């Protein structure tokens, strides 16, 4: 498990970790938390957590309540964990969500944005391995690397360039899920298994 160096309550699991979002209530330092998950649909939809629901059809969550853990499941997409002085957010960002501007829907929305945001970018498919077709040159014109083997999408730099433009402090754990065998990768083996990224206030 990777613990964020920037956000003390943010974590990224790997194949060897036993943590599961089904463990609700979840205990941290003897305090109970309710785990909030998503039915992720590769969209740009962000939902604010309400007391009555534990699962949402969306790709982003936000809460100002201290009793919730927000959880993202991934096996190549980008997990993005966000902390501010008033709340936390969690985003599942695949190429579809990024192309639909899920980052803008969170970071440029006054409902979620606040001063002193900190962002942690977790393990995902990276430019070393994430081969894509020619059509991606139109969708991500500044984030495709081409060599003699093919075209590769750099979702890491897409996200980091966006955050730098907004002067948001961030870290990247710099792990590729495709070439690092400690992580589940749908691209690599069509697995149904996922790793989890989670945080709380």
């Amino acid at each position: 498990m990777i613990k964020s160096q920037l956000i003390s309550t943010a974590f990224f699991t790997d194949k060897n970790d036993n943590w599961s979002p089904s463990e609700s209530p979840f205990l941290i330092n003897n305090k109970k938390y309710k785990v909030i998950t998503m039915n992720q649909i590769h969209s740009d939809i962000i939902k604010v957590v309400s007391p009555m629901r534990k699962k949402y059809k969306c790709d982003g969550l936000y809460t100002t309540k201290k009793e919730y853990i927000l959880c993202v499941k991934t096996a190549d997409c980008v997990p993005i964990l966000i902390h501010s002085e008033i709340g936390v957010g969690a985003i599942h960002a695949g190429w579809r969500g990024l192309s639909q501007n899920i980052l803008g829907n969170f970071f440029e929305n006054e409902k979620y944005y606040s001063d002193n945001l900190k962002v942690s970018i977790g393990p995902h498919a990276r430019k070393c391995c994430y081969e894509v077709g020619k059509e991606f040159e139109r969708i991500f014109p500044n984030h495709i690397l081409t060599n003699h083997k093919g075209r590769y999408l750099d979702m890491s730099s897409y996200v980091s360039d966006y955050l730098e433009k907004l002067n948001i402090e961030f870290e990247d754990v710099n792990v590729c899920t495709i070439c690092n065998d400690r992580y589940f990768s749908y691209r690599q083996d069509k697995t149904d298994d996922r790793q989890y990224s989670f945080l709380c206030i």
Side-chain angles (χ1 to χ4, degrees):
M1 183 179 294
I2 298 173
K3 180 178 180 181
S4 166
Q5 299 300 302
L6 190 61
I7 304 170
S8 63
T9 58
F11 300 85
F12 305 97
T13 71
D14 60 35
K15 287 181 179 178
N16 300 316
D17 293 314
N18 296 320
W19 191 88
S20 168
S22 63
E23 297 180 39
S24 186
F26 190 76
L27 288 175
I28 299 178
N29 296 327
N30 294 318
K31 183 178 177 182
K32 289 183 179 180
Y33 291 85
K34 182 186 290 185
V35 180
I36 309 298
T37 60
M38 295 177 277
N39 177 15
Q40 297 165 185
I41 53 175
H42 296 278
S43 70
D44 62 350
I45 301 170
I46 312 288
K47 295 284 189 180
V48 177
V49 175
S50 75
M52 304 304 294
R53 299 181 63 185
K54 289 176 58 178
K55 191 166 188 176
Y56 295 79
K57 189 175 182 179
C58 62
D59 288 274
L61 294 169
Y62 178 77
T63 187
T64 58
K65 306 298 184 184
K66 294 184 177 180
E67 64 265 31
Y68 299 130
I69 289 177
L70 306 186
C71 179
V72 180
K73 59 181 181 179
T74 55
D76 286 328
C77 293
V78 188
I80 302 170
L81 303 180
I82 305 135
H83 186 279
S84 76
E85 294 177 345
I86 60 173
V88 291
I91 292 174
H92 164 259
W95 72 264
R96 292 178 181 85
L98 292 175
S99 67
Q100 294 174 61
N101 196 34
I102 192 168
L103 298 182
N105 284 359
F106 187 95
F107 293 105
E108 297 175 43
N109 189 324
E110 292 182 359
K111 190 190 306 183
Y112 315 122
Y113 189 88
S114 66
D115 292 332
N116 301 314
L117 280 182
K118 296 179 180 180
V119 175
S120 189
I121 303 168
H124 60 273
R126 294 179 181 260
K127 63 183 180 182
C128 53
C129 302
Y130 193 7
E131 189 170 3
V132 295
K134 184 175 176 59
E135 67 276 12
F136 279 75
E137 293 179 349
R138 176 183 55 81
I139 304 170
F140 299 99
N142 300 315
H143 297 90
I144 299 292
L145 287 85
T146 304
N147 59 33
H148 66 283
K149 294 182 179 179
R151 298 173 186 83
Y152 297 85
L153 175 59
D154 190 352
M155 294 191 293
S156 310
S157 69
Y158 183 95
V159 175
S160 62
D161 286 353
Y162 181 90
L163 296 172
E164 286 176 353
K165 189 165 53 178
L166 295 180
N167 294 313
I168 293 173
E169 184 179 6
F170 71 92
E171 67 174 358
D172 185 342
V173 302
N174 197 28
V175 172
C176 177
T177 51
I178 296 178
C179 62
N180 189 322
D181 61 11
R182 287 180 55 194
Y183 293 85
F184 298 113
S185 169
Y186 183 79
R187 279 235 162 185
Q188 183 75 0
D189 22 282
K190 303 298 187 228
T191 181
D192 291 327
D193 293 316
R194 299 292 184 267
Q195 47 263 343
Y196 301 102
S197 306
F198 61 94
L199 85 165
C200 58
I201 294 177

